Amino acid sequence: MGRTSDAKNKILDAAATLIEQRGYTALGVAEICAAAGVPKGSFYYFFESKQALARTVIDEHWVTQRRQWEQLLGSERNPLQRLRDLFEATEEVQRVGQQKAGVVAGCLFGNLALELSNQAEEIRGRLQQIFEEQISLIEQVVVEAKERGLAGPAVDAREAARSIVAQIEGRVLLAKLLNDPAQLETLWRNCLDLLQVPAQARTTTG
Amino acid sequence: MGRTSDAKNKILDAAATLIEQRGYTALGVAEICAAAGVPKGSFYYFFESKQALARTVIDEHWVTQRRQWEQLLGSERNPLQRLRDLFEATEEVQRVGQQKAGVVAGCLFGNLALELSNQAEEIRGRLQQIFEEQISLIEQVVVEAKERGLAGPAVDAREAARSIVAQIEGRVLLAKLLNDPAQLETLWRNCLDLLQVPAQARTTTG
C-alpha cells in the first residue's frame, strides 16, 4: 500500500515537472514513467490515460495554490496589501522556478489553457472552474477594498478581479517569453490603476 | 515557378491553420503536407525543418498584423480612439475566427510563446522582437495621449504600453479558455484605467 501510493506520487511529481517544462502534447507515458522511475505497466494501474493524469496534476496544483491564495488574500492586512502580497508571491514562485530550472516556467493553468482548451473539453472545463475560483478569491478582496474606500466606487468588483487575473496571466506570459520574472513587478501598480485606487490610498499603501 | 510558389503558399496556409487549431508540437510534417495537398517531398524543398516553417508562419502573420496595427494606431483619430479601434479589431478577429472554426483560436504569438519559449530559442527570440514591436506601436500612441492630456502625467508610456499588451494577451487567454470573444470587451475600460485617463477625457471619448 505504501509502495503503491509512492509510485503514484512519483508519477505525479514527474508529470508535473515535465508538463511545466515542455507542455502536455510533447510528453509520452513512457517518458513520464522513466522520469518517475516506475515501470510503465504501473501507470495504467493509477491513471486511465495521459489526460486523466493531467487532470490530476491540475487538481493537485490548484489545491496547493488555492491554499496559498486563501492564506494571502484572507489575512488580517489591508485589502490592497493582501493583493500586493499575492503579486509578490506569484513573482517569487517564478523566480524560484527560474533558479531551479534555469527558465521561467510560467503558469501551469495558463500554459494548459492555451495548449489544450480547443482539444480536451474536460481539461478546458476544469481550468474554467479554477480561473473562476481565482477571480472569486480576488473579487472578495476588491469588495472589501471598495467598502473601505480603497478602490474607486465605479469599479465593478467581479470585472476588476477578472481584469487582474488577466493581467497576471499576460504578465506571466511576458515573464516566460523573456525569461524574466521582473515582468511581474508592475502587477501592483497595474492593480492600483485597474481598481481606480484614490491618490491618498496609493501613498499610504504603496 | 508559379507552381512552385503555389505549393509553398499552400504549405504555409495549411500550417498557419493547423498551428492555430492545435499548436506546434502536435503537428507532423506529413500531416501539414496532407492538409496542403502537396507531396511530402516538396516540403523540404521549401523549408529546412518544421521549426523553419513555424518561423515563416510567425513572420507572415506579423507582416499582416503589423500592417493592421499601423493602420489603426497611425490613423488621424484621437489617440484614445485609436487604441479603442485596435481593441475592437482584436475582438473582431477572434469573433470571425470563432465563426469560422467554432472555437476561439487565441493569439498565434501568445500561444507559441507559452508552448515554445523554453524549447526553441530561435522562436523565442523572434516572438520577443514581435512583442517589443507591438509595445512600441502602442507606446507611440500613449506618448501622444499624454501630450494631449488624455493620459495621466505620471504614466510611463513604455510601461503602460507593455501593460496594455499584457492585458490583451491575458484577455485573449480567457477568451480562448471560455470560447467567448466578449472577454475582450473590457480592454477599452482597462486601457482607460491603465493610462489613468482623466474623468473628463473618458466621457468625451468613451
Side-chain angles (χ1 to χ4, degrees):
Chain A
M1 188 69 182
R3 191 174 275 269
T4 304
S5 62
D6 213 45
K8 185 175 180 182
N9 286 335
K10 281 180 184 168
I11 293 171
L12 281 169
D13 287 349
T17 305
L18 286 169
I19 290 174
E20 204 165 72
Q21 286 170 359
R22 295 181 25 219
Y24 171 84
T25 311
L27 295 181
V29 166
E31 184 184 6
I32 295 165
C33 292
V38 304
K40 192 174 165 188
S42 64
F43 182 91
Y44 292 99
Y45 179 76
F46 300 115
F47 303 101
E48 214 173 80
S49 62
K50 191 175 89 163
Q51 190 170 313
L53 168 68
R55 172 64 199 268
T56 309
V57 167
I58 290 168
D59 286 343
E60 298 225 330
H61 190 70
W62 180 229
V63 166
T64 307
Q65 192 182 91
R66 184 175 49 203
R67 197 180 300 129
Q68 188 192 27
W69 281 46
E70 284 173 345
Q71 200 171 18
L72 294 169
L73 296 178
S75 79
E76 294 299 315
R77 292 159 74 103
N78 169 311
L80 294 179
Q81 185 59 51
R82 280 181 252 158
L83 292 170
R84 187 174 199 168
D85 292 342
L86 176 69
F87 304 141
E88 288 178 352
T90 303
E91 188 183 335
E92 183 61 13
V93 166
Q94 297 299 330
R95 275 194 199 283
V96 169
Q98 188 194 39
Q99 279 156 15
K100 224 174 69 179
V103 291
V104 168
C107 164
L108 177 74
F109 305 133
N111 292 344
L112 293 176
L114 291 196
E115 187 182 354
L116 293 182
S117 282
N118 292 339
Q119 290 169 75
E121 279 303 319
E122 190 207 357
I123 302 280
R124 183 207 289 270
R126 183 66 186 119
L127 291 173
Q128 285 176 351
Q129 290 169 351
I130 289 171
F131 275 102
E132 294 301 329
E133 282 185 66
Q134 289 187 341
I135 292 163
S136 295
L137 286 169
I138 291 180
E139 181 189 4
Q140 289 168 29
V141 183
V142 176
V143 167
E144 248 189 87
K146 281 187 70 176
E147 284 167 0
R148 297 204 206 170
L150 298 171
V155 164
D156 177 309
R158 179 108 199 138
E159 264 313 308
R162 186 174 288 276
S163 297
I164 289 171
V165 167
Q167 187 67 32
I168 294 174
E169 287 302 317
R171 281 279 171 179
V172 169
L173 185 149
L174 291 177
K176 181 169 178 174
L177 178 65
L178 299 165
N179 196 23
D180 174 22
Q183 294 295 317
L184 301 173
E185 275 173 10
T186 54
L187 283 174
W188 167 241
R189 214 160 50 236
N190 297 148
C191 171
L192 294 178
D193 288 337
L194 291 169
L195 295 183
Q196 301 177 2
V197 174
Q200 203 197 330
R202 289 184 190 226
T203 48
T204 52
T205 56
Chain B
M1 185 74 178
R3 192 175 272 269
T4 304
S5 62
D6 214 47
K8 185 175 180 181
N9 286 335
K10 281 182 184 166
I11 293 172
L12 280 169
D13 286 350
T17 305
L18 286 169
I19 289 175
E20 203 165 73
Q21 284 170 359
R22 297 182 22 222
Y24 171 85
T25 312
L27 295 182
V29 166
E31 185 184 3
I32 295 166
C33 292
V38 303
K40 192 175 166 187
S42 65
F43 182 91
Y44 292 99
Y45 179 77
F46 299 114
F47 302 101
E48 213 173 81
S49 61
K50 192 176 89 166
Q51 191 170 311
L53 168 68
R55 171 64 199 267
T56 310
V57 168
I58 290 169
D59 286 343
E60 299 226 328
H61 190 69
W62 180 227
V63 166
T64 307
Q65 193 184 86
R66 186 176 48 203
R67 197 180 299 129
Q68 189 191 27
W69 280 47
E70 284 172 345
Q71 200 170 18
L72 295 169
L73 296 178
S75 79
E76 295 298 315
R77 295 158 72 102
N78 169 312
L80 293 179
Q81 186 58 49
R82 281 181 250 158
L83 291 170
R84 188 175 198 167
D85 291 342
L86 175 69
F87 304 142
E88 288 177 355
T90 303
E91 187 182 335
E92 183 61 13
V93 165
Q94 297 299 330
R95 275 193 200 284
V96 169
Q98 188 194 40
Q99 278 157 14
K100 224 174 70 177
V103 291
V104 169
C107 164
L108 177 74
F109 305 134
N111 292 345
L112 293 177
L114 291 195
E115 188 181 355
L116 293 183
S117 281
N118 293 338
Q119 288 168 78
E121 278 305 318
E122 192 205 356
I123 302 279
R124 184 209 288 272
R126 184 66 186 121
L127 291 173
Q128 285 175 352
Q129 289 168 353
I130 290 171
F131 276 103
E132 294 303 328
E133 283 186 66
Q134 289 187 340
I135 292 163
S136 295
L137 287 169
I138 291 180
E139 181 189 4
Q140 290 168 29
V141 183
V142 176
V143 167
E144 249 190 88
K146 281 186 71 177
E147 284 167 2
R148 298 204 205 171
L150 298 170
V155 164
D156 176 309
R158 179 107 199 139
E159 262 314 308
R162 187 175 289 278
S163 297
I164 289 170
V165 167
Q167 191 69 33
I168 293 173
E169 287 301 317
R171 281 280 173 178
V172 168
L173 185 150
L174 291 177
K176 180 169 179 174
L177 177 66
L178 299 165
N179 196 21
D180 174 22
Q183 293 294 316
L184 300 174
E185 275 173 10
T186 56
L187 282 174
W188 166 242
R189 212 161 51 235
N190 296 150
C191 172
L192 294 178
D193 288 337
L194 291 169
L195 296 183
Q196 301 178 4
V197 174
Q200 202 196 330
R202 290 183 190 226
T203 47
T204 53
T205 56

